[in-house]
Amino acid sequence: MESTLKEQISTPAGGVEDMYGEDCATEDQCITPWAIAVSSGYNLLRDPRYNKGLAFTERERDAHYLRGLLPPVVSTQELQEKKIMQSLRQYDVPLHKYVAMMELEERNERLFYKLLIDNVEELLPIVYTPTVGEACQKYGSIFKRPQGLYISLNEKGRILEVLKNWPEKSIQVIVVTDGERILGLGDLGCQGMGIPVGKLALYTALGGVRPSACLPITIDVGTNNEKLLNDEFYIGLRQKRATGQEYYDFLHEFMSAVKQNYGEKILVQFEDFANHNAFELLAKYRTTHLVFNDDIQGTASVVLAGLIASLKLLGGALCDHTFLFLGAGEAGTGIAELIALEISKKTNAPVEETRKKIWLVDSKGLIVSGRKETLQAFKKPWAHEHEPVNNLLDAVKAVKPTVLIGTSGVGQTFTKEVVEAMASMNERPLIMALSNPTSQAECTAEEAYTWSEGRVVFASGSPFPSFEYNEKIYFPGQANNCYIFPGFGFGLVMSGTIRVHDDMLLAASEALAAQVTDEHYAKGMIYPPFADIRKISAHIAASVAAKAYELGVATRLPRPADLVKYAESCMYTPNYRSYR
Ligand SMILES: O=C([O-])CC(=O)C(=O)O
Ligand SMILES: [Mg+2]
């Protein structure tokens, strides 16, 4: 009985499928069909997972009690897509587009993902950075229906019960935040929920994880944001953040409940935690759970990919370059460590040695050995021998970097003087202004190109449009972790991997860099276009899975022979299914 139903479920997209069936990444990830509550008639139109709106066929309208509930016309998904794109384009305000997209997701999930996949370059800045940042700031007013789980201190001792309230049972990926450092916008408390929701939308659209397997979670331990605490529309706990033992005990209850409820292969992505918790949580859980910190590891992997690719434009090997960071938090130290690791693997030099060409500046100036005693643990490896230097411009002059990377969360810090100094020392300086959203970028693409007289190789965390300067068009790259985490996570899930290893991050970087072609290099690009992201994610997933098999942490056996093909065949596609 079960095998017959599974055959029905795995009918190729476009074929007739029992509407009780879920589309599933791999056969053993299928939910047993009878476990799904099925609606018909009016409720079917209200069920975003199955609703097709005007695209229900005559036969489906008869079979599922929809006659009269819809006007006579039968539309196609393509026509629906065209109509919604047209109406989205009429909004001038990005936040209005964001709200319209969220409403679509709540109305018709497949249409939402079809739009996002087919128009990724246009819609990414709406459902993701920069607009998602503004959405979080105003989440109290935007909030209509829960898009994920809210786990607050009120649920202490009952987190397992709360997880069971979520309607979907076969979860593969959780993105969790505690809202303390949302992008470069600071503590947004419970309103940080927009971030896990946005990240998981990309897990599906960019990486191919099916929507029902994704669970956004916001842990609410309070907020120190006075503005929110005094905002009558604030949706979170109205108290200062719990810290210390209370915080760690609560997080521990959460991590234990997650593993108990979903098993060993559930991927937990930590997102936008503050530095002081992010490193500790990652270090604590990476040996017992399948965890990934996007801000430390995902950002590191995407930046390393850009650096590997950029060597075609800059020349030399990675070990020939000197790196200077503004910002020594999760992103800065995460990237620095991965660069040091990659150089170490390539040159056989110990990491302690390869770190020496990587310098970091924090709010107090260059991190140097004289400051070692007062530094937080994650900064200590970067305290090299040097006299004190207390600002970025002087640090650029002292260190003479070939690569300058901004991860401070503070906007407009790559001033004209800083960019000019980089350009005076390097024929082709590489500058990455990674802080998000756009308002926090260290400089704009336009500034980087004009101040360097068009010589810079530039990438930023949030998108900038192409820019014409001296009759030449420049294409800034978007060094955002969304190139990595969807494919990375998909690779872990499809191979049943139980632990993340740094070598998988390196594998993901290499896979992404390998997708940059001569055509892209000719335009000065060091990242491939987002339009190809599904293919890119399949390659990243395959490389990550291959590494997991090599390391013996992948449990899905036998290993598929062609991992790229396997990844592609497992990916969720948003085309409508036919219902019997
Ligand atoms: O969300 C993004 O665009 C990138 C990211 O992880 C962050 O800035 O925290
Ligand atoms: Mg983040």
Side-chain angles (χ1 to χ4, degrees):
M1 176 71 176
E2 198 176 336
S3 72
T4 331
L5 281 158
K6 276 189 179 165
E7 268 166 38
Q8 282 181 350
I9 291 164
S10 47
T11 307
V16 175
E17 189 192 18
D18 192 305
M19 81 162 288
Y20 297 77
E22 260 282 15
D23 52 316
C24 41
T26 58
E27 220 177 51
D28 64 358
Q29 291 159 2
C30 287
I31 303 167
T32 45
W34 47 84
I36 295 174
V38 176
S39 45
S40 67
Y42 193 70
N43 289 339
L44 177 53
L45 299 179
R46 294 278 161 150
D47 185 339
R49 188 135 298 154
Y50 297 105
N51 180 30
K52 303 200 273 185
L54 290 178
F56 279 111
T57 62
E58 299 285 359
R59 219 178 56 140
E60 288 166 338
R61 293 177 190 208
D62 281 332
H64 298 287
Y65 305 95
L66 297 172
R67 278 269 156 224
L69 299 181
L70 292 164
V73 80
V74 175
S75 186
T76 61
Q77 199 177 15
E78 287 66 32
L79 194 64
Q80 290 178 312
E81 180 178 4
K82 184 175 170 191
K83 181 172 76 180
I84 297 189
M85 284 310 295
Q86 265 185 19
S87 71
L88 275 178
R89 286 175 185 140
Q90 280 166 12
Y91 292 116
D92 292 327
V93 180
L95 192 62
H96 294 165
K97 296 187 191 196
Y98 176 89
V99 171
M101 283 299 282
M102 290 304 117
E103 282 170 358
L104 176 61
E105 188 179 16
E106 284 173 16
R107 194 167 71 238
N108 183 334
E109 187 178 88
R110 284 185 178 270
L111 192 53
F112 168 82
Y113 282 111
K114 185 148 176 59
L115 247 72
L116 196 46
I117 292 167
D118 292 348
N119 306 277
V120 65
E121 287 178 336
E122 184 173 348
L123 295 180
L124 211 52
I126 303 301
V127 300
Y128 194 60
T129 185
T131 311
V132 72
E134 191 187 350
C136 288
Q137 288 172 313
K138 300 175 181 161
Y139 213 71
S141 306
I142 292 173
F143 176 86
K144 294 203 179 74
R145 281 163 150 205
Q147 293 170 293
L149 274 178
Y150 294 87
I151 302 179
S152 80
L153 286 175
N154 292 343
E155 282 76 53
K156 196 188 285 183
R158 295 186 298 168
I159 297 182
L160 185 59
E161 261 173 68
V162 176
L163 293 179
K164 291 186 190 296
N165 285 346
W166 187 249
E168 303 292 347
K169 304 301 168 209
S170 295
I171 303 299
Q172 294 173 323
V173 186
I174 288 172
V175 176
V176 60
T177 188
D178 72 354
E180 190 167 2
R181 198 276 296 145
I182 293 299
L183 307 176
L185 301 171
D187 184 351
L188 297 185
C190 191
Q191 302 196 165
M193 181 57 109
I195 294 295
V197 167
K199 293 274 173 184
L200 283 163
L202 303 199
Y203 256 104
T204 297
L206 277 47
V209 178
R210 62 197 159 89
S212 60
C214 297
L215 174 54
I217 297 184
T218 293
I219 300 225
D220 186 351
V221 296
T223 178
N224 296 340
N225 184 327
E226 287 296 333
K227 204 166 149 228
L228 290 178
L229 288 172
N230 293 319
D231 177 352
E232 62 176 327
F233 297 132
Y234 181 55
I235 56 173
L237 281 188
R238 227 168 269 275
Q239 66 163 70
K240 284 273 162 64
R241 282 187 177 274
T243 57
Q245 203 53 42
E246 187 186 8
Y247 178 86
Y248 278 96
D249 286 350
F250 194 58
L251 266 288
H252 195 67
E253 184 192 341
F254 169 71
M255 292 303 292
S256 307
V258 160
K259 199 160 158 183
Q260 191 177 338
N261 203 41
Y262 301 113
E264 180 133 59
K265 288 182 263 176
I266 178 83
L267 170 61
V268 178
Q269 174 165 317
F270 293 119
E271 194 71 49
D272 292 7
F273 283 74
N275 290 332
H276 56 102
N277 293 322
F279 291 101
E280 215 168 311
L281 289 173
L282 182 62
K284 184 164 175 196
Y285 292 107
R286 66 183 300 167
T287 54
T288 54
H289 291 63
L290 181 66
V291 292
F292 170 71
N293 183 302
D294 190 32
D295 303 296
I296 301 172
Q297 299 172 298
T299 305
S301 185
V302 75
V303 170
L304 179 60
L307 294 175
I308 293 170
S310 74
L311 297 174
K312 277 251 168 70
L313 300 173
L314 308 186
L318 214 51
C319 60
D320 301 324
H321 287 273
T322 304
F323 305 86
L324 180 67
F325 287 79
L326 177 64
E330 292 157 69
T333 61
I335 301 163
E337 196 62 49
L338 202 64
I339 296 173
L341 185 63
E342 171 81 355
I343 298 177
S344 163
K345 296 242 175 203
K346 289 272 146 65
T347 60
N348 284 326
V351 175
E352 293 71 29
E353 272 310 302
T354 61
R355 285 190 187 124
K356 290 191 174 149
K357 288 187 84 178
I358 306 174
W359 298 81
L360 281 73
V361 171
D362 67 6
S363 58
K364 300 195 175 60
L366 193 64
I367 295 184
V368 291
S369 48
R371 292 176 51 195
K372 206 157 186 170
E373 297 311 309
T374 58
L375 290 170
Q376 288 157 288
F378 56 88
K379 295 185 183 176
K380 284 194 199 298
W382 310 102
H384 307 319
E385 287 301 323
H386 200 286
E387 72 233 28
V389 178
N390 55 21
N391 67 65
L392 178 64
L393 182 59
D394 288 344
V396 170
K397 289 177 184 161
V399 169
K400 300 190 176 41
T402 53
V403 177
L404 176 66
I405 300 178
T407 59
S408 62
V410 185
Q412 286 114 48
T413 39
F414 290 173
T415 58
K416 187 161 185 273
E417 291 71 31
V418 167
V419 174
E420 281 174 352
M422 283 298 291
S424 72
M425 291 175 212
N426 300 289
E427 180 50 39
R428 298 219 65 183
L430 173 57
I431 297 183
M432 292 194 181
L434 298 181
S435 295
N436 296 313
T438 319
S439 58
Q440 311 308 110
E442 284 77 5
C443 66
T444 66
E446 183 173 337
E447 288 166 344
Y449 290 120
T450 34
W451 293 339
S452 68
E453 294 165 331
R455 284 185 287 119
V456 75
V457 177
F458 180 79
S460 52
S462 294
F464 281 107
S466 56
F467 173 67
E468 196 176 330
Y469 175 73
N470 279 351
E471 289 168 27
K472 198 172 159 204
I473 298 176
Y474 293 86
F475 297 89
Q478 193 181 349
N480 190 292
N481 48 30
C482 71
Y483 269 114
I484 292 289
F485 71 79
F488 190 88
F490 193 71
L492 299 174
V493 166
M494 78 177 196
S495 55
T497 292
I498 52 166
R499 297 286 177 269
V500 169
H501 193 286
D502 284 345
D503 285 356
M504 299 172 192
L505 300 173
L506 298 179
S509 303
E510 304 265 358
L512 176 55
Q515 296 298 312
V516 190
T517 64
D518 287 342
E519 187 198 337
H520 304 139
Y521 287 125
K523 293 179 175 170
M525 291 160 65
I526 52 171
Y527 290 98
F530 273 115
D532 298 333
I533 190 67
R534 302 268 286 192
K535 181 180 130 233
I536 296 166
S537 293
H539 280 270
I540 293 173
S543 294
V544 169
K547 188 53 80 180
Y549 281 107
E550 197 185 308
L551 294 169
V553 287
T555 61
R556 167 168 252 278
L557 298 169
R559 176 196 191 281
D562 186 333
L563 286 165
V564 175
K565 273 214 178 86
Y566 180 67
E568 277 168 348
S569 73
C570 291
M571 282 182 166
Y572 166 87
T573 52
N575 297 337
Y576 287 146
R577 301 304 169 99
S578 304
Y579 302 146
R580 286 212 175 114

